[in-house]
Amino acid sequence: MSALSNLPSELVIRFVKTHFKERNSYHLADLSCGNGRHMLFMLREGHVVAGTDSSTRNVESAQQLLTKHGFEPLIIQANLTNLPFENEQFDGLLCEHMLMFLNQQELEQAIGELYRILKPGGKCFITVRNTNDTLFRTGNTLEDHTFIHFFTEEEIHQLFKAFMNVTIGVKRFSQNSLTQYSSEYLITLVK
């Protein structure tokens, strides 16, 4: 694994530094922690952090990374539709690039879980692909525009209507092409 793959994304840095600065430590969770790079960043910022991932390999990689840097991580192999946490346990949640891999029923269950484990006033940062992505409508579908679920703005507002505030930004990027690009919604929720 390269050293660059351990760096947190700029978007996560902005989310954490913008929303979790009033006191020294918040309870945060990375719900698709991958190799643990975002958990490492949040732990270094002084927060209490938990992580989940559905992949055994990712859980093991994250544990190795965080242990190597002197942390005793709480990382659990879990699915977004059944999270192993108490109600209203977290001040903040990260859920990058995961909701788009769920079918409609799983998506609704996962959103219910996000709402359940987030404290009132808590914030959640989510990234998903949107229908402006050049991959939209290029693959096989399992449901209406699903294998990677490409979201519309209206759908985001409908799915997250239980949250007090839903803010949507857009990130569009390309690598080595002027015609092929990814387009993501950057969603910040407040419970």
Side-chain angles (χ1 to χ4, degrees), residues 29 31 80-83 85-95 99 106-126 157-166 189-191:
L31 302 177
L80 288 173
T81 60
N82 187 21
L83 293 169
F85 300 116
E86 299 293 322
N87 294 347
E88 300 179 353
Q89 185 171 340
F90 295 101
D91 300 298
L93 304 173
L94 294 180
C95 190
L99 294 179
E106 292 168 332
L107 180 59
E108 291 171 10
Q109 288 174 322
I111 292 168
E113 285 291 274
L114 298 178
Y115 190 86
R116 179 185 68 78
I117 67 172
L118 194 60
K119 292 178 181 178
K123 296 174 179 76
C124 180
F125 180 67
I126 297 169
H157 285 289
Q158 180 62 33
L159 286 167
F160 296 103
K161 65 184 174 189
F163 289 83
M164 180 174 65
N165 189 14
V166 178
L189 306 170
V190 179
K191 180 175 175 182

Side-chain angles (χ1 to χ4, degrees), residues 16-52:
V16 172
K17 290 201 173 268
T18 299
H19 297 287
F20 304 104
K21 61 184 179 185
E22 282 85 34
R23 59 180 201 256
N24 292 337
S25 180
Y26 289 87
H27 286 83
L28 307 177
D30 186 346
L31 302 177
S32 53
C33 70
N35 73 352
R37 66 192 179 124
H38 295 128
M39 290 182 69
L40 180 60
F41 162 71
M42 293 184 291
L43 287 163
R44 285 178 168 167
E45 289 291 303
H47 303 296
V48 177
V49 182
T52 66

Side-chain angles (χ1 to χ4, degrees), residues 58-92:
N58 285 349
V59 168
E60 291 169 357
S61 293
Q63 287 173 331
Q64 288 174 359
L65 175 69
L66 298 176
T67 301
K68 177 178 128 184
H69 288 278
F71 295 102
E72 294 181 23
L74 171 60
I75 305 171
I76 303 166
Q77 186 173 355
N79 189 304
L80 288 173
T81 60
N82 187 21
L83 293 169
F85 300 116
E86 299 293 322
N87 294 347
E88 300 179 353
Q89 185 171 340
F90 295 101
D91 300 298

Side-chain angles (χ1 to χ4, degrees), residues 106-154:
E106 292 168 332
L107 180 59
E108 291 171 10
Q109 288 174 322
I111 292 168
E113 285 291 274
L114 298 178
Y115 190 86
R116 179 185 68 78
I117 67 172
L118 194 60
K119 292 178 181 178
K123 296 174 179 76
C124 180
F125 180 67
I126 297 169
T127 58
V128 295
R129 301 288 271 278
N130 66 51
T131 55
N132 294 317
D133 193 294
T134 54
L135 290 179
F136 180 58
R137 297 190 191 269
T138 62
N140 297 327
T141 58
L142 300 178
E143 293 182 358
D144 184 26
H145 65 71
T146 302
F147 179 58
I148 290 181
H149 188 110
F150 293 90
F151 292 79
T152 66
E153 184 178 347
E154 297 78 24

